[in-house]
Amino acid sequence: MIKTVIKRDGTNAHFRIEKIFNVLDKAFGSKEMETPVEVYDFIKDWSNNYEDEIVDVETIQDKIEKYLMRYYPCVAKNFIIYRAEHKVMREEKSQLTKDVEKKLLAKNVENQNANVDEYSFGGRMGEVTRVVTKDYALKYCMSRKSKNNHLNNEIYIHDLDSYAAGMHNCLSIPFDDLLAKGFHTRQTDVRPANSINTAMQLVAVIFQLQSLQQFGGVSATHLDWTMEPYVKKSFFKHYIQRYLEDQKEFLDLDIEDMVFSDYDETIIGENGKKYVISRNKFDDWCDEHRDEMLERLELTKEDFYFDNKEKLNPVYYQSAKKNTLIELKQAVEGMYHNLNTLQSRSGNQLPFTSINYGTCTSPEGRVVIKSLIQGSINGVGKFHKTPIFPCGIFQYMKGVNDKPGTPNYDLYMMALQSTAKRLYPNYANVDWSGNAGYDINDPRTYFSTMGCRTANGMDINGFGQLKDGRGNICPVTIIMPTLAMEADRDVEKFMKLLDKKIGEAKDMLIERFEWICSQSPKSADFMYTNGTMAGYIPEEGLRSALKHGTLAIGQLGLAETLQILIGKNQLTDEGMALAKRIEQLFKDRCTQFKQEYKLNFGVYYTPAENLCYTALKKFRDKYGVIENVSDREYFTNSIHVPVWEKVTPFEKIDIESQLTGYSSAGCITYVELPSTVLHNIEALETIVNYAMNHDIPYFAVNTPNDLCDDCGYQGEIGETCPQCGGTNIKRLRRVTGYLTGDYKTAFNLGKQDEVKDRVKHNKEVRV
C-alpha cells in the first residue's frame, strides 16, 4: 500500500488519493464528463495493492496515463497535455530559480550597467529583482509580438525590469520652478531656496529624489540661468550682514541667545487658511535692520547685483562679492561630492545626472559657469579624481561663446581645458538645425541633452521646443544586422523588412506607453505632486503629462548591416548612400507616426551599453562568425564609424554629420584623442568648432584618463605608474555618453573589447 510519495524536488509527502481524483475530475471535466466510478475504483485498488509503501510522483502519473489511453483515449489526450504544460512551467520555474541564484550569489557578473556594482549586496539584490521582473514583463505585460521581437533579437525592449513596474525612462527637471516655489517629499516639504548654497545643494537632492521615480537619467537644462537669481540673493544677504556688522547695536547683541531663539507664529494665507511658521529672533533683527538700511540708503532689493557697483558702498560691495563667490565655490564643490557619493539606487548606483550650462552672460551667470567648470577641473576626493557625475554639457551658441569677442568665449576656453583633462564637458549645439524654432529669450528651449544622448525634440502636443518637464518615456532598438541576415543579404528585402519592423517597433512603444499611463500617480508621487513631469492634469490621468515626452525608435549596428548587405560600410560612397536611405526611412516613419498618433515618436541612436554585446552574442549563435560583422565581441553603436577605422577627427565628423540630422530623439558624435591634447587646447578648439559648424547636435571627446590609486598620479599610464611604480591603476573611459570607473572591471566583455579596438583620431590635428 502506498503511504508516501516522493515529489520531484526529492522531498517526501503523505500520499493523498484526493489529489489524484482532483486531476482526473479536471481531465474528464474538460470533455464535459463526470469521472466514472470505475476510474476511482481502479486508482484505489492500485494504490492499496502497490507492493511498496513509497512511490515517486512520475510513476503514479504514468500509471494513470496508461489506464486512460486504454479505456478513455480522448480524456488521456488532455491529461497528457496537462502533464506537458506543467512540465514546461516547472522547467521555467527551475530555470528562473537558477538565474536568481546566479545573480544573488554573484556567480554571473555581466556588468550590464557600468555604474552598478554587481558584487555588492545592493547590486546582487537589484540583479535578482531584474531577473524576476524581466521574466514577469515578458510573460504578463506585453503582446506575443513584442515578446517574440525581443527574444528573436529583432527589436530589443530596454529595461524590461522597469517595464513590469510601469516606470518611464528619463527627464529634464524644471529646477527653476522647484527652487523658486519649494517642493514636497514623502516625509516633509522644502522651502524655496534663498541662497546659492541652498539652491545648489537642493539640486543634488532633487536629482536623487527624481531618479527614484524612473529608470533613466535626470538633467538640468540650463543650470547657469537657474542659479543666477540665487547668486544675487546671496550677494544681497552678505551685503546686509556686512552692513549690520558696522552698526553700533550689533556689538551689544547676545548673538548666541538670539540665534538659538526660535518660536512659532500663526499667519493667514491667501486662501484664508491658518499656517504655523517657525521664526528666529536673530533673523527678525536682521530683517528689521535690512528694511532700515534700504530706506536709509534709498535702495531696493533689485539694486543688489554685481554690475551695480557704482550705486553701492564699495567696502560692503567688495566684502559681499567675496563671500558670495566663496559660498558659490563651496556649494558647487558640495554638489559634485554629493552626486559622486550618495547612491540612490541598488548596486551602489549613483543617479545618472547631467547639467547643461554655458549661455548665461550676466556676471552672476558667468561665475556660476566658471564655478561648475572649475569644480570639474578640480575633481573630487583626496586625489582629485575625475567626477563620474554630473555629466557636464557646455551649450555652444553662436554669438555667445563660439569665438573671440563673444561674451562667454573665455568660459568656452575654460571648458575645453576641462574636457582635455576630465572628458567633461561634452558640447551641445544650441544652433543645431534640429532644434529650429527655439526661443532665444527662453533658455528652457535651448538644445540640451540628458547626458547619455537623449534629447527632447519639438512637442506635437503644445510645448514646442520646451525641454523642462519632458523626457524620453521609453525606447526600443531595432537590431539591424539580424534583419539583414533574415532578408538573405538582399537590400530590397531588407528595406521592406525594416519598414515592417519599424511599424512593429511603433506598436511596441504604444503598448508600453499605455501601460505606463495606466499606473497610479502615487507610484511616482514626488514627480506628479511637484510637477517635475510637466502638464499633469489629475482629471485626465498620467497621459496628460506623458504625452509631451518622447517615444524613441532606436537602432544598432548600421556599419555591420551595410557590411552584410553590400560588403562596405558608411566610409564608402555606396555605403553612405544606403545608410542615408535607411535613416530616411526611420525619419519618415517617425514623422508619420508622430502626426498619426499625436505622440512624439523620434529616431534614436541608441547608446547600447549592454546591448552591443548581448545582441552580438545572440547573432553569432545563430549566424556564426562573419568577418567585420560578428568577429568581435560587440556591434558598432548606432550609426557610428566603427571604432577600428583609422580616420582623422575631421573625417569622422564629416561622415557622422551626414547622418545625425535624421535623429530627433538623441545622438552623439565623439572622437578619440591622445592625452597630449591637454597641452594643445587650440587643436581641441578647432575640432569642437568643426563639429559645431557641421551641425553635429551633441559632441564629445574621449581621451585616456588614468589614475594611480597609490599616489594619485593622473595621465595616460602604461603598466606601472611613472611616479611611484605602482600597479594599482584605475582606467576611466567613456562607456556611452557618460563616464564610469575602471573599464577593465566595470565594463561588460563587449565594451572592454571595444575599448581595446578604439583607434585614436589624432591625425591632422595640430594648429
Side-chain angles (χ1 to χ4, degrees), residues 357-359 366 369-370 373 377 394-398 400-420 424-428 681-693 699 701:
Y357 55 80
T359 62
R366 280 175 47 79
I369 299 169
K370 188 176 292 186
I373 298 173
I377 293 173
F394 189 87
Q395 292 169 298
Y396 182 100
M397 189 174 186
K398 291 179 180 177
V400 173
N401 52 36
D402 62 318
K403 59 185 178 181
T406 54
N408 285 358
Y409 178 73
D410 59 326
L411 299 178
Y412 174 39
M413 290 295 99
M414 190 176 177
L416 291 170
Q417 292 174 349
S418 178
T419 300
Y424 288 155
N426 304 335
Y427 296 86
I681 300 302
E682 294 84 0
L684 181 57
E685 179 188 7
T686 299
I687 295 171
V688 176
N689 287 348
Y690 192 84
M692 299 294 101
N693 291 333
F699 185 72
V701 173

Side-chain angles (χ1 to χ4, degrees), residues 7 13 108 150 156 255 258 267 287 308 511 539 603 686:
K7 298 168 68 175
N108 183 27
H150 181 83
Y156 182 80
I255 296 295
M258 295 181 72
I267 62 172
D287 290 345
N308 200 27
E511 186 175 272
E539 296 77 19
V603 182
T686 299

